[in-house]
Amino acid sequence: MNGKMIGAIIILVLLLVLAGVIYLACRKISRTVKGYSRMIFGTENVREGVQKMEMEYATTPKSVSSATGLYLPGIMKDFPEFHLEEMKSRAQNVLTSYLRGIDGGNSHMLTEGTRELRDKLDMRISMLRNAEIREHYERIKVHRIEIHKYRKDKGRSSIVFQASAEHIHYQEQNGAVVKGRKDRLEQAKYNVEVSYIQDVELVENTSDMGLAMVCPNCGAPLPSLGAKTCAYCDSPVVELNIKAWNFTDVEMVEK
């Protein structure tokens, strides 16, 4: 056996050893990956695991930052006739109708809200139309809605509700989907703000939403949010109750 043949055999043996080492390493890596996949996803197939995780993420509702227990006593002190469940229902309707207004390209679909909120919706619809984009919200469902914040400033009281919602959300341009997916749900969180102003007519006819609350007879500032009579002219203040709360903003805070 000549030297060339011996050299060829040695090279062949080395290649076989290297192939064996690579094979064993690949098997070890595969077992390790499957082990981690089983531990994380509950399946050895990584692709199936990722798809399972994406599906769980798409169908698991977002948690809301609830401070209802913290703020409700103060709200009830300021507004004894405040109805939490009715206001939550209204906030839910405003949120869903706002999203449907975007989907339908029509701000008149908004069930209620200030001119400020309607202008915001009109502006979004106009921007989408100018960009020749259709934005869709389908299968809208609100899972939970709670009080997130309560603040009083310059005669205006505002409650921010935070809602956990799901929907199919995507954008189309020239018939093609350019953002989002048509076949998968999306979980999101929204803030819905509602404000209390003493005179609804003033709010509707004034662009300044930071109005101070004043007596409708003499114009003097009211001493407190729940005042029944004016401290200066003793005129009765008509309590507008639930109708005095107007929705001023809808904003997505997290997908």
Side-chain angles (χ1 to χ4, degrees), residues 237-253:
V237 176
V238 178
E239 194 54 65
L240 294 171
N241 300 331
I242 197 70
K243 293 182 180 179
W245 290 96
N246 273 270
F247 288 88
T248 57
D249 196 22
V250 174
E251 180 182 18
M252 177 184 281
V253 292

Side-chain angles (χ1 to χ4, degrees), residues 168 177 226 249:
I168 291 176
V177 176
D249 196 22

Side-chain angles (χ1 to χ4, degrees), residues 86-100 109-112 142 145 192 247:
E86 183 175 352
M87 193 62 71
K88 286 168 67 172
S89 177
R90 287 177 65 193
Q92 179 174 325
N93 289 337
V94 167
L95 172 58
T96 55
S97 65
Y98 186 89
L99 298 179
R100 286 172 181 150
M109 297 178 74
L110 185 65
T111 54
E112 60 174 308
V142 177
I145 186 164
V192 182
F247 288 88

Side-chain angles (χ1 to χ4, degrees), residues 95-123:
L95 172 58
T96 55
S97 65
Y98 186 89
L99 298 179
R100 286 172 181 150
I102 296 173
D103 180 83
N106 184 359
S107 64
H108 293 293
M109 297 178 74
L110 185 65
T111 54
E112 60 174 308
T114 61
R115 187 171 62 191
E116 182 183 33
L117 180 57
R118 293 181 186 277
D119 286 347
K120 178 178 179 179
L121 179 54
D122 272 326
M123 184 178 296

Side-chain angles (χ1 to χ4, degrees), residues 28-85:
K28 183 176 181 180
I29 292 172
S30 177
R31 287 196 298 269
T32 302
V33 170
K34 288 180 179 179
Y36 279 116
S37 178
R38 192 185 312 111
M39 181 175 61
I40 297 172
F41 304 123
T43 176
E44 292 186 353
N45 189 307
V46 177
R47 184 176 181 181
E48 287 181 3
V50 171
Q51 291 176 341
K52 180 181 178 182
M53 184 177 67
E54 289 178 346
M55 186 60 65
E56 288 179 354
Y57 183 78
T59 56
T60 302
K62 297 281 187 180
S63 60
V64 297
S65 301
S66 173
T68 300
L70 175 65
Y71 289 120
L72 187 58
I75 295 172
M76 295 304 299
K77 182 180 179 180
D78 293 334
F79 303 96
E81 297 178 352
F82 179 84
H83 299 283
L84 177 61
E85 293 306 316

